[in-house]
Amino acid sequence: MARRAESAHKGFVVHCDSSCPIGIFDSGVGGLTVARAVMDRLPSESIVYFGDTARVPYGVKSPDTVARYAGQITNFLLAKNVKLLIVACNTMAAVALPAITALSPAPVLEVISAGAASALAATRTKRIGIIATPSTIASRAYESALAALGGPEVFTASKACPLFVPLVEEGWLAHPATRLVAEEYLTPLLAENLDTLILGCTHYPLLAPLLAEVAGPDVRLQDSATAVAERAAAVLGYLGLAAPKGPDTPRHVFHVTDMPRKFREIGELFLGRPMEDVRLEKL
């Protein structure tokens, strides 16, 4: 039987069944890396995913536009009675988190603080590079998170990589053109003698094999998917909202704003499982 909980979390009071889904959203297909980590860590949980495929990429849009889009998606997911929201888009986390948390009565997790913590755990020299969309880089959100968690001795170097998102959306994960773009972006960062590189966009882990080859064996690549999944497990456990283990199969529904067939084709490759329920939505 589903449990009900009325618990405080960061000032919110949550009224929800443990059977309610987790909401995950991203500008497109990249947030499926976070969804996969959540599915692996929390196999009993149902997920409602939203990918704004009609308006991707977000990283080249203004903060006001990103905040407006994020608010629309937040309201859509809240209408699905989600018990937890995960902002899988680094750009939204960097520039629109206040707008999202102001709307949501459910707890909100985001990828930037999780990614920063993961990088600090991996680095040996505290020389950390950051690649992300132009909006995320301009926000300096990762630099702020790394300084807050690791202190002033952390050295950072960052690079905006706007072409990576459309290349991933096109499915060009190992294309020669993608390698040339990666080499162009990473060369100035690698000159800074980094030992850790944050993949500061949820699309970028799909390029991890190629990026690892370009960066070389001395640079550790870090993303936030696993760390966010662990935080989700901790929050749901604290609130008493974790889905009970049992024979019921969790339900995963994927909502997109454009090209659902292409989303399914690309998404299944790195989600690692079939996407049986993909729906086209208008906001």
Side-chain angles (χ1 to χ4, degrees):
M1 177 180 294
R3 292 172 294 165
R4 295 196 65 82
E6 181 174 323
S7 305
H9 180 75
K10 294 184 179 179
F12 295 123
V13 177
V14 180
H15 305 269
C16 197
D17 279 350
S18 57
S19 60
C20 290
I22 296 171
I24 301 175
F25 60 106
D26 185 69
S27 60
V29 72
L32 291 173
T33 56
V34 173
R36 180 172 184 166
V38 172
M39 291 176 185
D40 290 343
R41 177 64 179 83
L42 300 167
S44 298
E45 299 290 349
S46 295
I47 290 172
V48 179
Y49 181 93
F50 195 101
D52 195 3
T53 49
R55 300 186 293 199
V56 70
Y58 275 22
V60 295
K61 294 178 170 61
S62 70
D64 286 346
T65 296
V66 172
R68 176 162 52 87
Y69 292 173
Q72 292 170 350
I73 298 169
T74 298
N75 285 327
F76 178 91
L77 291 173
L78 291 174
K80 302 298 182 184
N81 200 30
V82 297
K83 61 187 177 185
L84 174 69
L85 276 177
I86 299 178
V87 185
C89 175
N90 284 262
T91 299
M92 282 193 274
V95 305
L97 191 62
I100 295 166
T101 55
L103 287 171
S104 179
V108 178
L109 300 180
E110 49 81 22
V111 288
I112 289 176
S113 60
S118 177
L120 288 169
T123 185
R124 303 176 300 275
T125 65
K126 291 195 173 183
R127 298 184 67 85
I128 299 172
I130 305 152
I131 56 174
T133 65
S135 291
T136 300
I137 294 299
S139 75
R140 297 190 62 82
Y142 271 104
E143 287 88 344
S144 296
L146 288 166
L149 295 172
E153 65 270 24
V154 176
F155 171 85
T156 60
S158 63
K159 178 68 176 176
C161 303
L163 293 178
F164 280 164
V165 169
L167 287 168
V168 169
E169 297 280 346
E170 190 62 30
W172 287 15
L173 305 184
H175 195 282
T178 308
R179 178 177 292 273
L180 289 174
V181 170
E183 290 172 350
E184 184 71 21
Y185 283 152
L186 294 188
T187 295
L189 289 180
L190 297 175
E192 298 287 353
N193 195 28
L194 309 172
D195 79 337
T196 304
L197 181 65
I198 294 175
L199 308 185
C201 173
T202 50
H203 286 67
Y204 295 1
L206 308 180
L207 300 173
L210 184 151
L211 295 175
E213 291 179 6
V214 174
D218 294 332
V219 178
R220 300 179 179 183
L221 306 186
Q222 296 294 313
D223 71 84
S224 55
T226 301
V228 166
E230 290 293 338
R231 291 186 179 188
V235 169
L236 292 178
Y238 172 75
L239 293 176
L241 288 174
K245 296 180 180 179
D248 294 338
T249 301
R251 184 182 182 190
H252 305 315
V253 183
F254 304 88
H255 302 270
V256 296
T257 50
D258 197 16
M259 303 179 72
R261 181 176 299 179
K262 181 178 179 181
F263 178 85
R264 185 197 301 267
E265 290 173 355
I266 297 176
E268 287 183 347
L269 292 177
F270 55 87
L271 192 63
R273 64 203 78 197
M275 301 172 69
E276 297 177 352
D277 194 348
V278 179
R279 305 181 186 182
L280 182 63
E281 304 289 348
K282 290 184 178 180
L283 293 179

